[in-house]
Amino acid sequence: MNQKEKSGRLLFDVALSLLPEIGPVKAKALLAYCGSAENVFKASRRELEKIPGIGKGTVASVHTAEIVEAAEQEIRQCQRNGINVISYTSAEYPSRLKQCGDGPIVLFCKGNATLNYSRIVSVVGSRDASVHGKEVCEQIVRGLKEMNAMVVSGLAYGMDICAHRACLKLDIPTIGVLAHGLDTIYPSAHRTVAERMCENGGLITEFPFATRLHPDHFPRRNRIIAGMADALIVVEAGMRSGSLVTATLANDYSRDVFAVPGRWSDSSSEGTNHLIKTNKAALIQSVSDIEYLLGWEKKEGERQMQLFRELDEEEKRIVDALKKSDDVHIDDLSILTDIPGGKLLSKLLSMEFDGIVVSQPGKKFHLCK
């Protein structure tokens, strides 16, 4: 696909994301039925009304003449301000977030972050973080550096900014997910930190340029924090904390969720203790617990690939595909190797037994080192 075609596809993807009557789920239904965002806007009213779940209100908004013009203006505004626009159909789009049914159609990004980093962990917690909680957060981030993981959080007061600052101190790539447009930073007190993050990481949002902050935006921000990571760590949280909402979203996305336990008398630990008690999070007492539970430990058998037998043609295709990426989801691997899912899983289990591949959380695989 040449640059002109990419620009054209991006224009209609942005236009689709700007439609007022639909969210990501309906937008993906339109994409699935029509084949592309451009085809959505070219489809007749009758064709669109035949799509399940697409009502007349949605159809009317698709045929609003100004929507494509608004998308053009949005793209130009982003270009003037150094903002990268990444659509759901782009290879740059976070593969983990693509697995979430309600993942955004478009992301707006600033900085130089790799959104498909091999290991990503989200860290969240109380906005009114305790001294002890901050110390624990810094210890966790230090341990994540040893695991070569990127850290994602929400740039908010308390635990979020603590995690980001620890990443900057330790030179760990970190991403802040915002609940507003990239023309501003909230809270403004974190502007300097946000600017530094863009040097080794960045800022992302699903909200167009100049979108003002609104309370309804925070849950939408939280689903991105939960969805684009391999795992979520909750350090401190009260019973009404937004961190519990993020943990619930992470559970819904089949992400690993971890919580730091606290004293039963501390209100800041009520939420984390509740997550552990209700089996919605694994209890962690040290960074090594995270490494072990995620399967990120460096096992003796991973130091060098041992081929105890000659690979067949399909296994060679699997190895070739895994050489090109650190962690590959089984669905993507099936496409890359042209091996059906059931047969591929059987092959992978056999290869894992022989020390050729290693399975990771979230149905991902990589070659033994």
Side-chain angles (χ1 to χ4, degrees):
M1 185 184 297
N2 59 39
Q3 190 59 43
K4 185 176 180 180
E5 290 174 328
K6 287 182 179 179
S7 298
R9 172 176 285 187
L10 179 62
L11 171 64
F12 288 103
D13 285 344
V14 173
L16 184 61
S17 74
L18 294 177
L19 289 173
E21 293 293 331
I22 71 169
V25 175
K26 281 189 177 181
K28 289 172 188 176
L30 288 168
L31 285 173
Y33 274 87
C34 298
S36 71
E38 184 174 2
N39 289 342
V40 172
F41 288 93
K42 289 181 177 179
S44 68
R45 290 176 180 267
R46 180 174 295 180
E47 288 172 327
L48 293 175
E49 287 176 357
K50 290 180 180 179
I51 300 174
I54 305 301
K56 292 185 177 181
T58 300
V59 174
S61 67
V62 169
H63 286 274
T64 301
E66 295 81 9
I67 199 71
V68 175
E69 182 181 338
E72 290 177 338
Q73 293 175 354
E74 181 65 31
I75 292 172
R76 286 197 296 268
Q77 185 79 278
C78 289
Q79 290 172 341
R80 287 195 293 267
N81 288 276
I83 296 169
N84 188 23
V85 185
I86 301 176
S87 73
Y88 177 77
T89 57
S90 167
E92 298 175 77
Y93 190 93
S95 59
R96 298 165 179 86
L97 195 58
K98 190 173 284 189
Q99 298 166 17
C100 305
D102 59 353
I105 291 296
V106 169
L107 288 172
F108 302 94
C109 313
K110 229 176 186 181
N112 57 10
T114 301
L115 302 183
N116 286 304
Y117 207 78
S118 60
R119 294 175 175 179
I120 302 178
V121 176
S122 292
V123 178
V124 297
S126 172
R127 289 173 178 261
D128 188 22
S130 68
V131 173
H132 172 70
K134 292 178 181 179
E135 290 174 352
V136 171
C137 179
E138 291 175 2
Q139 289 174 19
I140 288 172
V141 171
R142 192 173 294 111
L144 292 175
K145 179 180 176 65
E146 297 301 317
M147 299 179 216
N148 191 32
M150 173 186 281
V151 175
V152 173
S153 197
L155 202 70
Y157 288 113
M159 212 60 70
D160 288 17
I161 197 64
C162 177
H164 291 310
R165 284 172 174 155
C167 288
L168 293 176
K169 181 179 178 181
L170 297 167
D171 194 29
I172 301 172
T174 183
I175 291 176
V177 185
L178 308 182
H180 51 76
L182 285 173
D183 59 311
T184 187
I185 295 296
Y186 175 84
S188 58
H190 297 165
R191 180 176 297 277
T192 301
V193 173
E195 290 172 352
R196 290 183 59 200
M197 286 167 60
C198 289
E199 298 171 9
N200 187 21
L203 307 171
I204 67 172
T205 183
E206 70 175 306
F207 298 102
F209 197 83
T211 301
R212 301 277 71 84
L213 185 68
H214 189 278
D216 291 345
H217 294 174
F218 287 108
R220 293 172 62 180
R221 184 272 309 267
N222 292 347
R223 87 186 194 287
I224 297 176
I225 293 174
M228 70 176 294
D230 298 300
L232 174 78
I233 301 173
V234 186
V235 182
E236 284 183 337
M239 283 302 295
R240 295 188 178 183
S241 171
S243 298
L244 266 64
V245 175
T246 311
T248 299
L249 290 165
N251 277 305
D252 291 343
Y253 296 148
S254 299
R255 302 295 187 260
D256 289 285
V257 179
F258 305 104
V260 178
R263 293 180 298 187
W264 66 272
S265 57
D266 290 348
S267 59
S268 61
S269 297
E270 285 183 332
T272 49
N273 290 346
H274 177 76
L275 288 172
I276 296 167
K277 183 173 67 175
T278 55
N279 295 317
K280 293 181 179 179
L283 183 152
I284 54 170
Q285 294 178 297
S286 68
V287 174
S288 59
D289 291 339
I290 301 168
E291 189 175 34
Y292 172 75
L293 291 168
L294 285 175
W296 287 352
E297 290 180 305
K298 292 183 179 179
K299 302 179 180 68
E300 187 70 25
E302 290 183 36
R303 292 180 183 175
Q304 184 175 0
M305 188 191 306
Q306 299 293 329
L307 302 182
F308 299 106
R309 55 177 171 74
E310 187 173 346
L311 300 177
D312 61 31
E313 288 304 313
E314 290 177 329
E315 289 170 336
K316 287 178 182 178
R317 296 209 302 269
I318 293 170
V319 169
D320 289 341
L322 293 177
K323 282 180 179 178
K324 299 175 182 178
S325 182
D326 286 340
D327 292 302
V328 183
H329 191 272
I330 190 169
D331 293 342
D332 296 328
L333 195 56
S334 178
I335 295 171
L336 292 170
T337 59
D338 195 28
I339 301 173
K343 187 176 184 180
L344 176 60
L345 181 58
S346 177
K347 290 283 185 183
L348 288 168
L349 288 173
S350 177
M351 294 170 73
E352 185 173 13
F353 181 79
D354 287 340
I356 301 170
V357 303
V358 177
S359 62
Q360 295 289 342
K363 297 183 180 180
K364 297 179 183 178
F365 294 84
H366 67 73
L367 291 175
C368 287
K369 305 299 184 195

